Amino acid sequence: MAALDDFREETRAWLDLNCPPDARGPGDIPAGGTKLPIDEPDTLLWRDRMAEKGWTAPTWPVEYGGGGLTNEESMVLIQEMQRINARAPLTGMGVNLIGPTLLEFGTEDQKQRHIPPIVRGEVRWCQGYSEPGSGSDLASLRTRAEDNGDHFLVNGQKIWTSGAHYADWIFALVRTDPDVPKHVGISFVLMDMNQPGITVRPIRLISGASPFCETFFVDAIARKDDLIGELNQGWTVGKRLLQHERGSMASLVGGAAGNPGPTLQDEARRYAGDTGGRIANPGLRGQVVVHNMNDHAFRLTQRRAVEEARGGGTPGPITSIFKTYGTELRQEKSSLFVAMRGSDALLWDEASESQLFEDTRTWLADRASSIYSGSNEIQRNIIAKRVLGLPD
């Protein structure tokens, strides 16, 4: 314990000295890459300082740029960041999804080439899983990868590719053997997005944003040395990555404290004396209290699961519980944001007050959170089979 106490003291002193003022409290968390510049100098400075320490990925091995912290040390780091309200220095599919997957399944060459740029925030990743007609039944995917010597030629289409228009690289499931059962014959490959064979088309949503894209592959190149795991065994790799995705939703597994955005208490105080809002309604106040209690208990449960995972890694099928309950909490929170504003929540035009407009759009966008990353119905099936051990 003495060693951990010393680490806490050193960490606290370093954070106090090195976390810039504008990296504390609500704000943007960069996801890396070359196509979406960071406008806030303190956000960039914070990311670079943390990357130099390896604390953008604190539990990853030092030889790949990580911090090499133990699980206990990484939890101390998170606690000390939360103490000063520091935002995570880096987020995205690099640190949360493909990085942990590469550490588990990648070759030494793949780790050396891909992980250090992720840690430094130099590359942004997107995920090529879903296809038109292959969403919940992902194993029915049809995007083909044909052997062409030292590389594969990839042809097909992915959809709902989050952030593809900003991504530098994509990890994708592709069919490399069409003559075997559908769960077999799938491979997991990495592709450079900056090549003529890949076209991206954003999908505009009712929320007004375009985080999702259609992605088209016409003789796109995936190098053989960017095949992750064995040929035709990508289903195993792909499923494990989804566990990392579901486990990272609280930004604990991903490496740091989450984004401390506006709370329900903040909004309740804001609308306490406003006749246009509904926070004076005792029933609504009760819902806010219950939500806050459930949210706090949920985050403590996630933290316990991360602490109990061997070596600080991602828990297994239990992450489906996090995904299911976490997305429902998220939807409930955005609904309460809207409900407590009463008639103000009807503001829609961008000329309306910006925060009200953004929260109304967020409420709409959050309707999708129980669908993406595997719908909550799918998660409940996983919980029944893999966590509770119920029969099919």
Side-chain angles (χ1 to χ4, degrees), residues 121-144:
E122 295 172 352
V123 60
R124 189 178 183 125
W125 288 81
C126 65
Q127 179 180 32
Y129 274 26
S130 296
E131 299 181 4
S134 297
S136 296
D137 183 18
L138 181 59
S140 66
L141 64 89
R142 293 179 294 176
T143 295
R144 294 281 299 273

mmCIF file with all atom_site columns, all heavy atoms in Angstrom, residues 121-144:
data_model
loop_
_atom_site.group_PDB
_atom_site.id
_atom_site.type_symbol
_atom_site.label_atom_id
_atom_site.label_alt_id
_atom_site.label_comp_id
_atom_site.label_asym_id
_atom_site.label_entity_id
_atom_site.label_seq_id
_atom_site.pdbx_PDB_ins_code
_atom_site.Cartn_x
_atom_site.Cartn_y
_atom_site.Cartn_z
_atom_site.occupancy
_atom_site.B_iso_or_equiv
_atom_site.pdbx_formal_charge
_atom_site.auth_seq_id
_atom_site.auth_comp_id
_atom_site.auth_asym_id
_atom_site.auth_atom_id
_atom_site.pdbx_PDB_model_num
ATOM 1   N N   . GLY A 1 121 ? -2.221  9.630   -30.498 1.00 0.00 ? 121 GLY A N   1
ATOM 2   C CA  . GLY A 1 121 ? -3.359  10.319  -31.100 1.00 0.00 ? 121 GLY A CA  1
ATOM 3   C C   . GLY A 1 121 ? -3.113  10.738  -32.534 1.00 0.00 ? 121 GLY A C   1
ATOM 4   O O   . GLY A 1 121 ? -3.763  11.658  -33.031 1.00 0.00 ? 121 GLY A O   1
ATOM 5   N N   . GLU A 1 122 ? -2.230  10.061  -33.232 1.00 0.00 ? 122 GLU A N   1
ATOM 6   C CA  . GLU A 1 122 ? -1.868  10.440  -34.590 1.00 0.00 ? 122 GLU A CA  1
ATOM 7   C C   . GLU A 1 122 ? -2.776  9.812   -35.643 1.00 0.00 ? 122 GLU A C   1
ATOM 8   O O   . GLU A 1 122 ? -2.734  10.206  -36.808 1.00 0.00 ? 122 GLU A O   1
ATOM 9   C CB  . GLU A 1 122 ? -0.419  10.026  -34.877 1.00 0.00 ? 122 GLU A CB  1
ATOM 10  C CG  . GLU A 1 122 ? 0.593   10.765  -34.023 1.00 0.00 ? 122 GLU A CG  1
ATOM 11  C CD  . GLU A 1 122 ? 2.002   10.211  -34.166 1.00 0.00 ? 122 GLU A CD  1
ATOM 12  O OE1 . GLU A 1 122 ? 2.174   9.156   -34.814 1.00 0.00 ? 122 GLU A OE1 1
ATOM 13  O OE2 . GLU A 1 122 ? 2.932   10.840  -33.611 1.00 0.00 ? 122 GLU A OE2 1
ATOM 14  N N   . VAL A 1 123 ? -3.570  8.839   -35.240 1.00 0.00 ? 123 VAL A N   1
ATOM 15  C CA  . VAL A 1 123 ? -4.390  8.111   -36.205 1.00 0.00 ? 123 VAL A CA  1
ATOM 16  C C   . VAL A 1 123 ? -5.781  7.914   -35.620 1.00 0.00 ? 123 VAL A C   1
ATOM 17  O O   . VAL A 1 123 ? -5.946  7.713   -34.427 1.00 0.00 ? 123 VAL A O   1
ATOM 18  C CB  . VAL A 1 123 ? -3.730  6.753   -36.555 1.00 0.00 ? 123 VAL A CB  1
ATOM 19  C CG1 . VAL A 1 123 ? -3.565  5.896   -35.322 1.00 0.00 ? 123 VAL A CG1 1
ATOM 20  C CG2 . VAL A 1 123 ? -4.510  6.002   -37.623 1.00 0.00 ? 123 VAL A CG2 1
ATOM 21  N N   . ARG A 1 124 ? -6.770  8.000   -36.489 1.00 0.00 ? 124 ARG A N   1
ATOM 22  C CA  . ARG A 1 124 ? -8.167  7.784   -36.095 1.00 0.00 ? 124 ARG A CA  1
ATOM 23  C C   . ARG A 1 124 ? -8.688  6.552   -36.829 1.00 0.00 ? 124 ARG A C   1
ATOM 24  O O   . ARG A 1 124 ? -8.438  6.384   -38.019 1.00 0.00 ? 124 ARG A O   1
ATOM 25  C CB  . ARG A 1 124 ? -9.003  9.014   -36.450 1.00 0.00 ? 124 ARG A CB  1
ATOM 26  C CG  . ARG A 1 124 ? -10.431 8.996   -35.905 1.00 0.00 ? 124 ARG A CG  1
ATOM 27  C CD  . ARG A 1 124 ? -11.135 10.283  -36.275 1.00 0.00 ? 124 ARG A CD  1
ATOM 28  N NE  . ARG A 1 124 ? -12.475 10.384  -35.731 1.00 0.00 ? 124 ARG A NE  1
ATOM 29  C CZ  . ARG A 1 124 ? -12.911 11.378  -34.979 1.00 0.00 ? 124 ARG A CZ  1
ATOM 30  N NH1 . ARG A 1 124 ? -12.091 12.379  -34.678 1.00 0.00 ? 124 ARG A NH1 1
ATOM 31  N NH2 . ARG A 1 124 ? -14.150 11.403  -34.533 1.00 0.00 ? 124 ARG A NH2 1
ATOM 32  N N   . TRP A 1 125 ? -9.433  5.718   -36.108 1.00 0.00 ? 125 TRP A N   1
ATOM 33  C CA  . TRP A 1 125 ? -9.910  4.455   -36.641 1.00 0.00 ? 125 TRP A CA  1
ATOM 34  C C   . TRP A 1 125 ? -11.429 4.452   -36.758 1.00 0.00 ? 125 TRP A C   1
ATOM 35  O O   . TRP A 1 125 ? -12.132 5.142   -36.029 1.00 0.00 ? 125 TRP A O   1
ATOM 36  C CB  . TRP A 1 125 ? -9.485  3.304   -35.734 1.00 0.00 ? 125 TRP A CB  1
ATOM 37  C CG  . TRP A 1 125 ? -8.024  2.995   -35.795 1.00 0.00 ? 125 TRP A CG  1
ATOM 38  C CD1 . TRP A 1 125 ? -7.011  3.643   -35.143 1.00 0.00 ? 125 TRP A CD1 1
ATOM 39  C CD2 . TRP A 1 125 ? -7.400  1.954   -36.569 1.00 0.00 ? 125 TRP A CD2 1
ATOM 40  N NE1 . TRP A 1 125 ? -5.799  3.080   -35.456 1.00 0.00 ? 125 TRP A NE1 1
ATOM 41  C CE2 . TRP A 1 125 ? -6.006  2.033   -36.322 1.00 0.00 ? 125 TRP A CE2 1
ATOM 42  C CE3 . TRP A 1 125 ? -7.888  0.964   -37.421 1.00 0.00 ? 125 TRP A CE3 1
ATOM 43  C CZ2 . TRP A 1 125 ? -5.101  1.165   -36.915 1.00 0.00 ? 125 TRP A CZ2 1
ATOM 44  C CZ3 . TRP A 1 125 ? -6.989  0.100   -38.009 1.00 0.00 ? 125 TRP A CZ3 1
ATOM 45  C CH2 . TRP A 1 125 ? -5.609  0.194   -37.762 1.00 0.00 ? 125 TRP A CH2 1
ATOM 46  N N   . CYS A 1 126 ? -11.934 3.644   -37.689 1.00 0.00 ? 126 CYS A N   1
ATOM 47  C CA  . CYS A 1 126 ? -13.361 3.374   -37.772 1.00 0.00 ? 126 CYS A CA  1
ATOM 48  C C   . CYS A 1 126 ? -13.563 1.873   -37.926 1.00 0.00 ? 126 CYS A C   1
ATOM 49  O O   . CYS A 1 126 ? -12.617 1.119   -38.160 1.00 0.00 ? 126 CYS A O   1
ATOM 50  C CB  . CYS A 1 126 ? -14.027 4.163   -38.907 1.00 0.00 ? 126 CYS A CB  1
ATOM 51  S SG  . CYS A 1 126 ? -13.480 3.732   -40.582 1.00 0.00 ? 126 CYS A SG  1
ATOM 52  N N   . GLN A 1 127 ? -14.812 1.457   -37.803 1.00 0.00 ? 127 GLN A N   1
ATOM 53  C CA  . GLN A 1 127 ? -15.156 0.039   -37.713 1.00 0.00 ? 127 GLN A CA  1
ATOM 54  C C   . GLN A 1 127 ? -15.997 -0.384  -38.902 1.00 0.00 ? 127 GLN A C   1
ATOM 55  O O   . GLN A 1 127 ? -17.063 0.182   -39.139 1.00 0.00 ? 127 GLN A O   1
ATOM 56  C CB  . GLN A 1 127 ? -15.913 -0.200  -36.406 1.00 0.00 ? 127 GLN A CB  1
ATOM 57  C CG  . GLN A 1 127 ? -16.376 -1.619  -36.173 1.00 0.00 ? 127 GLN A CG  1
ATOM 58  C CD  . GLN A 1 127 ? -17.116 -1.743  -34.846 1.00 0.00 ? 127 GLN A CD  1
ATOM 59  O OE1 . GLN A 1 127 ? -17.773 -0.810  -34.403 1.00 0.00 ? 127 GLN A OE1 1
ATOM 60  N NE2 . GLN A 1 127 ? -17.006 -2.885  -34.208 1.00 0.00 ? 127 GLN A NE2 1
ATOM 61  N N   . GLY A 1 128 ? -15.558 -1.379  -39.636 1.00 0.00 ? 128 GLY A N   1
ATOM 62  C CA  . GLY A 1 128 ? -16.295 -1.894  -40.778 1.00 0.00 ? 128 GLY A CA  1
ATOM 63  C C   . GLY A 1 128 ? -16.922 -3.237  -40.470 1.00 0.00 ? 128 GLY A C   1
ATOM 64  O O   . GLY A 1 128 ? -16.363 -4.295  -40.807 1.00 0.00 ? 128 GLY A O   1
ATOM 65  N N   . TYR A 1 129 ? -18.071 -3.221  -39.829 1.00 0.00 ? 129 TYR A N   1
ATOM 66  C CA  . TYR A 1 129 ? -18.776 -4.443  -39.485 1.00 0.00 ? 129 TYR A CA  1
ATOM 67  C C   . TYR A 1 129 ? -20.093 -4.539  -40.251 1.00 0.00 ? 129 TYR A C   1
ATOM 68  O O   . TYR A 1 129 ? -20.242 -5.348  -41.166 1.00 0.00 ? 129 TYR A O   1
ATOM 69  C CB  . TYR A 1 129 ? -19.053 -4.500  -37.978 1.00 0.00 ? 129 TYR A CB  1
ATOM 70  C CG  . TYR A 1 129 ? -17.941 -5.063  -37.127 1.00 0.00 ? 129 TYR A CG  1
ATOM 71  C CD1 . TYR A 1 129 ? -16.611 -4.999  -37.529 1.00 0.00 ? 129 TYR A CD1 1
ATOM 72  C CD2 . TYR A 1 129 ? -18.208 -5.646  -35.895 1.00 0.00 ? 129 TYR A CD2 1
ATOM 73  C CE1 . TYR A 1 129 ? -15.597 -5.508  -36.740 1.00 0.00 ? 129 TYR A CE1 1
ATOM 74  C CE2 . TYR A 1 129 ? -17.207 -6.165  -35.089 1.00 0.00 ? 129 TYR A CE2 1
ATOM 75  C CZ  . TYR A 1 129 ? -15.899 -6.084  -35.517 1.00 0.00 ? 129 TYR A CZ  1
ATOM 76  O OH  . TYR A 1 129 ? -14.899 -6.595  -34.723 1.00 0.00 ? 129 TYR A OH  1
ATOM 77  N N   . SER A 1 130 ? -21.079 -3.714  -39.877 1.00 0.00 ? 130 SER A N   1
ATOM 78  C CA  . SER A 1 130 ? -22.423 -3.827  -40.453 1.00 0.00 ? 130 SER A CA  1
ATOM 79  C C   . SER A 1 130 ? -22.438 -3.572  -41.951 1.00 0.00 ? 130 SER A C   1
ATOM 80  O O   . SER A 1 130 ? -21.658 -2.765  -42.473 1.00 0.00 ? 130 SER A O   1
ATOM 81  C CB  . SER A 1 130 ? -23.369 -2.837  -39.769 1.00 0.00 ? 130 SER A CB  1
ATOM 82  O OG  . SER A 1 130 ? -23.522 -3.137  -38.401 1.00 0.00 ? 130 SER A OG  1
ATOM 83  N N   . GLU A 1 131 ? -23.356 -4.266  -42.617 1.00 0.00 ? 131 GLU A N   1
ATOM 84  C CA  . GLU A 1 131 ? -23.566 -4.090  -44.052 1.00 0.00 ? 131 GLU A CA  1
ATOM 85  C C   . GLU A 1 131 ? -25.068 -3.985  -44.311 1.00 0.00 ? 131 GLU A C   1
ATOM 86  O O   . GLU A 1 131 ? -25.873 -4.380  -43.452 1.00 0.00 ? 131 GLU A O   1
ATOM 87  C CB  . GLU A 1 131 ? -22.996 -5.277  -44.834 1.00 0.00 ? 131 GLU A CB  1
ATOM 88  C CG  . GLU A 1 131 ? -21.510 -5.480  -44.659 1.00 0.00 ? 131 GLU A CG  1
ATOM 89  C CD  . GLU A 1 131 ? -20.980 -6.651  -45.473 1.00 0.00 ? 131 GLU A CD  1
ATOM 90  O OE1 . GLU A 1 131 ? -21.778 -7.266  -46.232 1.00 0.00 ? 131 GLU A OE1 1
ATOM 91  O OE2 . GLU A 1 131 ? -19.782 -6.965  -45.360 1.00 0.00 ? 131 GLU A OE2 1
ATOM 92  N N   . PRO A 1 132 ? -25.476 -3.477  -45.462 1.00 0.00 ? 132 PRO A N   1
ATOM 93  C CA  . PRO A 1 132 ? -26.904 -3.536  -45.811 1.00 0.00 ? 132 PRO A CA  1
ATOM 94  C C   . PRO A 1 132 ? -27.366 -5.004  -45.798 1.00 0.00 ? 132 PRO A C   1
ATOM 95  O O   . PRO A 1 132 ? -26.838 -5.836  -46.538 1.00 0.00 ? 132 PRO A O   1
ATOM 96  C CB  . PRO A 1 132 ? -26.955 -2.944  -47.221 1.00 0.00 ? 132 PRO A CB  1
ATOM 97  C CG  . PRO A 1 132 ? -25.742 -2.075  -47.306 1.00 0.00 ? 132 PRO A CG  1
ATOM 98  C CD  . PRO A 1 132 ? -24.687 -2.770  -46.498 1.00 0.00 ? 132 PRO A CD  1
ATOM 99  N N   . GLY A 1 133 ? -28.298 -5.334  -44.928 1.00 0.00 ? 133 GLY A N   1
ATOM 100 C CA  . GLY A 1 133 ? -28.756 -6.710  -44.829 1.00 0.00 ? 133 GLY A CA  1
ATOM 101 C C   . GLY A 1 133 ? -27.964 -7.566  -43.858 1.00 0.00 ? 133 GLY A C   1
ATOM 102 O O   . GLY A 1 133 ? -28.307 -8.716  -43.621 1.00 0.00 ? 133 GLY A O   1
ATOM 103 N N   . SER A 1 134 ? -26.893 -7.022  -43.268 1.00 0.00 ? 134 SER A N   1
ATOM 104 C CA  . SER A 1 134 ? -26.078 -7.773  -42.302 1.00 0.00 ? 134 SER A CA  1
ATOM 105 C C   . SER A 1 134 ? -25.780 -6.871  -41.112 1.00 0.00 ? 134 SER A C   1
ATOM 106 O O   . SER A 1 134 ? -24.716 -6.255  -41.025 1.00 0.00 ? 134 SER A O   1
ATOM 107 C CB  . SER A 1 134 ? -24.767 -8.257  -42.949 1.00 0.00 ? 134 SER A CB  1
ATOM 108 O OG  . SER A 1 134 ? -25.020 -9.145  -44.000 1.00 0.00 ? 134 SER A OG  1
ATOM 109 N N   . GLY A 1 135 ? -26.756 -6.778  -40.220 1.00 0.00 ? 135 GLY A N   1
ATOM 110 C CA  . GLY A 1 135 ? -26.591 -5.979  -39.019 1.00 0.00 ? 135 GLY A CA  1
ATOM 111 C C   . GLY A 1 135 ? -26.544 -6.885  -37.810 1.00 0.00 ? 135 GLY A C   1
ATOM 112 O O   . GLY A 1 135 ? -25.479 -7.308  -37.376 1.00 0.00 ? 135 GLY A O   1
ATOM 113 N N   . SER A 1 136 ? -27.719 -7.237  -37.271 1.00 0.00 ? 136 SER A N   1
ATOM 114 C CA  . SER A 1 136 ? -27.761 -8.160  -36.141 1.00 0.00 ? 136 SER A CA  1
ATOM 115 C C   . SER A 1 136 ? -27.226 -9.531  -36.544 1.00 0.00 ? 136 SER A C   1
ATOM 116 O O   . SER A 1 136 ? -26.560 -10.201 -35.759 1.00 0.00 ? 136 SER A O   1
ATOM 117 C CB  . SER A 1 136 ? -29.197 -8.285  -35.613 1.00 0.00 ? 136 SER A CB  1
ATOM 118 O OG  . SER A 1 136 ? -29.641 -7.044  -35.098 1.00 0.00 ? 136 SER A OG  1
ATOM 119 N N   . ASP A 1 137 ? -27.506 -9.941  -37.770 1.00 0.00 ? 137 ASP A N   1
ATOM 120 C CA  . ASP A 1 137 ? -26.947 -11.197 -38.297 1.00 0.00 ? 137 ASP A CA  1
ATOM 121 C C   . ASP A 1 137 ? -25.650 -10.872 -39.028 1.00 0.00 ? 137 ASP A C   1
ATOM 122 O O   . ASP A 1 137 ? -25.535 -11.010 -40.242 1.00 0.00 ? 137 ASP A O   1
ATOM 123 C CB  . ASP A 1 137 ? -27.946 -11.878 -39.227 1.00 0.00 ? 137 ASP A CB  1
ATOM 124 C CG  . ASP A 1 137 ? -27.440 -13.223 -39.736 1.00 0.00 ? 137 ASP A CG  1
ATOM 125 O OD1 . ASP A 1 137 ? -26.506 -13.781 -39.124 1.00 0.00 ? 137 ASP A OD1 1
ATOM 126 O OD2 . ASP A 1 137 ? -27.959 -13.696 -40.764 1.00 0.00 ? 137 ASP A OD2 1
ATOM 127 N N   . LEU A 1 138 ? -24.651 -10.426 -38.262 1.00 0.00 ? 138 LEU A N   1
ATOM 128 C CA  . LEU A 1 138 ? -23.411 -9.935  -38.868 1.00 0.00 ? 138 LEU A CA  1
ATOM 129 C C   . LEU A 1 138 ? -22.677 -11.014 -39.643 1.00 0.00 ? 138 LEU A C   1
ATOM 130 O O   . LEU A 1 138 ? -22.004 -10.725 -40.640 1.00 0.00 ? 138 LEU A O   1
ATOM 131 C CB  . LEU A 1 138 ? -22.511 -9.359  -37.768 1.00 0.00 ? 138 LEU A CB  1
ATOM 132 C CG  . LEU A 1 138 ? -21.170 -8.782  -38.207 1.00 0.00 ? 138 LEU A CG  1
ATOM 133 C CD1 . LEU A 1 138 ? -21.354 -7.652  -39.209 1.00 0.00 ? 138 LEU A CD1 1
ATOM 134 C CD2 . LEU A 1 138 ? -20.386 -8.299  -36.986 1.00 0.00 ? 138 LEU A CD2 1
ATOM 135 N N   . ALA A 1 139 ? -22.808 -12.253 -39.214 1.00 0.00 ? 139 ALA A N   1
ATOM 136 C CA  . ALA A 1 139 ? -22.069 -13.338 -39.878 1.00 0.00 ? 139 ALA A CA  1
ATOM 137 C C   . ALA A 1 139 ? -22.519 -13.558 -41.316 1.00 0.00 ? 139 ALA A C   1
ATOM 138 O O   . ALA A 1 139 ? -21.850 -14.273 -42.072 1.00 0.00 ? 139 ALA A O   1
ATOM 139 C CB  . ALA A 1 139 ? -22.217 -14.632 -39.088 1.00 0.00 ? 139 ALA A CB  1
ATOM 140 N N   . SER A 1 140 ? -23.625 -12.948 -41.720 1.00 0.00 ? 140 SER A N   1
ATOM 141 C CA  . SER A 1 140 ? -24.073 -13.078 -43.114 1.00 0.00 ? 140 SER A CA  1
ATOM 142 C C   . SER A 1 140 ? -23.399 -12.061 -44.035 1.00 0.00 ? 140 SER A C   1
ATOM 143 O O   . SER A 1 140 ? -23.770 -11.943 -45.202 1.00 0.00 ? 140 SER A O   1
ATOM 144 C CB  . SER A 1 140 ? -25.596 -12.894 -43.189 1.00 0.00 ? 140 SER A CB  1
ATOM 145 O OG  . SER A 1 140 ? -25.959 -11.559 -42.845 1.00 0.00 ? 140 SER A OG  1
ATOM 146 N N   . LEU A 1 141 ? -22.390 -11.336 -43.538 1.00 0.00 ? 141 LEU A N   1
ATOM 147 C CA  . LEU A 1 141 ? -21.738 -10.286 -44.324 1.00 0.00 ? 141 LEU A CA  1
ATOM 148 C C   . LEU A 1 141 ? -21.213 -10.829 -45.655 1.00 0.00 ? 141 LEU A C   1
ATOM 149 O O   . LEU A 1 141 ? -20.826 -12.003 -45.770 1.00 0.00 ? 141 LEU A O   1
ATOM 150 C CB  . LEU A 1 141 ? -20.617 -9.636  -43.520 1.00 0.00 ? 141 LEU A CB  1
ATOM 151 C CG  . LEU A 1 141 ? -19.411 -10.479 -43.095 1.00 0.00 ? 141 LEU A CG  1
ATOM 152 C CD1 . LEU A 1 141 ? -18.312 -10.481 -44.147 1.00 0.00 ? 141 LEU A CD1 1
ATOM 153 C CD2 . LEU A 1 141 ? -18.852 -9.990  -41.767 1.00 0.00 ? 141 LEU A CD2 1
ATOM 154 N N   . ARG A 1 142 ? -21.186 -9.935  -46.669 1.00 0.00 ? 142 ARG A N   1
ATOM 155 C CA  . ARG A 1 142 ? -20.820 -10.354 -48.031 1.00 0.00 ? 142 ARG A CA  1
ATOM 156 C C   . ARG A 1 142 ? -19.623 -9.612  -48.610 1.00 0.00 ? 142 ARG A C   1
ATOM 157 O O   . ARG A 1 142 ? -19.204 -9.917  -49.732 1.00 0.00 ? 142 ARG A O   1
ATOM 158 C CB  . ARG A 1 142 ? -22.029 -10.170 -48.958 1.00 0.00 ? 142 ARG A CB  1
ATOM 159 C CG  . ARG A 1 142 ? -23.185 -11.108 -48.633 1.00 0.00 ? 142 ARG A CG  1
ATOM 160 C CD  . ARG A 1 142 ? -24.365 -10.881 -49.542 1.00 0.00 ? 142 ARG A CD  1
ATOM 161 N NE  . ARG A 1 142 ? -24.957 -9.553  -49.317 1.00 0.00 ? 142 ARG A NE  1
ATOM 162 C CZ  . ARG A 1 142 ? -25.965 -9.060  -50.037 1.00 0.00 ? 142 ARG A CZ  1
ATOM 163 N NH1 . ARG A 1 142 ? -26.482 -9.773  -51.022 1.00 0.00 ? 142 ARG A NH1 1
ATOM 164 N NH2 . ARG A 1 142 ? -26.462 -7.870  -49.765 1.00 0.00 ? 142 ARG A NH2 1
ATOM 165 N N   . THR A 1 143 ? -19.091 -8.635  -47.930 1.00 0.00 ? 143 THR A N   1
ATOM 166 C CA  . THR A 1 143 ? -17.906 -7.953  -48.443 1.00 0.00 ? 143 THR A CA  1
ATOM 167 C C   . THR A 1 143 ? -16.788 -8.968  -48.606 1.00 0.00 ? 143 THR A C   1
ATOM 168 O O   . THR A 1 143 ? -16.412 -9.660  -47.656 1.00 0.00 ? 143 THR A O   1
ATOM 169 C CB  . THR A 1 143 ? -17.481 -6.815  -47.492 1.00 0.00 ? 143 THR A CB  1
ATOM 170 O OG1 . THR A 1 143 ? -18.510 -5.827  -47.478 1.00 0.00 ? 143 THR A OG1 1
ATOM 171 C CG2 . THR A 1 143 ? -16.190 -6.176  -47.940 1.00 0.00 ? 143 THR A CG2 1
ATOM 172 N N   . ARG A 1 144 ? -16.247 -9.047  -49.816 1.00 0.00 ? 144 ARG A N   1
ATOM 173 C CA  . ARG A 1 144 ? -15.278 -10.092 -50.160 1.00 0.00 ? 144 ARG A CA  1
ATOM 174 C C   . ARG A 1 144 ? -13.857 -9.563  -50.131 1.00 0.00 ? 144 ARG A C   1
ATOM 175 O O   . ARG A 1 144 ? -13.591 -8.416  -50.491 1.00 0.00 ? 144 ARG A O   1
ATOM 176 C CB  . ARG A 1 144 ? -15.572 -10.636 -51.558 1.00 0.00 ? 144 ARG A CB  1
ATOM 177 C CG  . ARG A 1 144 ? -16.887 -11.381 -51.690 1.00 0.00 ? 144 ARG A CG  1
ATOM 178 C CD  . ARG A 1 144 ? -16.792 -12.790 -51.150 1.00 0.00 ? 144 ARG A CD  1
ATOM 179 N NE  . ARG A 1 144 ? -15.812 -13.573 -51.879 1.00 0.00 ? 144 ARG A NE  1
ATOM 180 C CZ  . ARG A 1 144 ? -16.097 -14.256 -53.019 1.00 0.00 ? 144 ARG A CZ  1
ATOM 181 N NH1 . ARG A 1 144 ? -17.326 -14.231 -53.515 1.00 0.00 ? 144 ARG A NH1 1
ATOM 182 N NH2 . ARG A 1 144 ? -15.152 -14.955 -53.618 1.00 0.00 ? 144 ARG A NH2 1
#
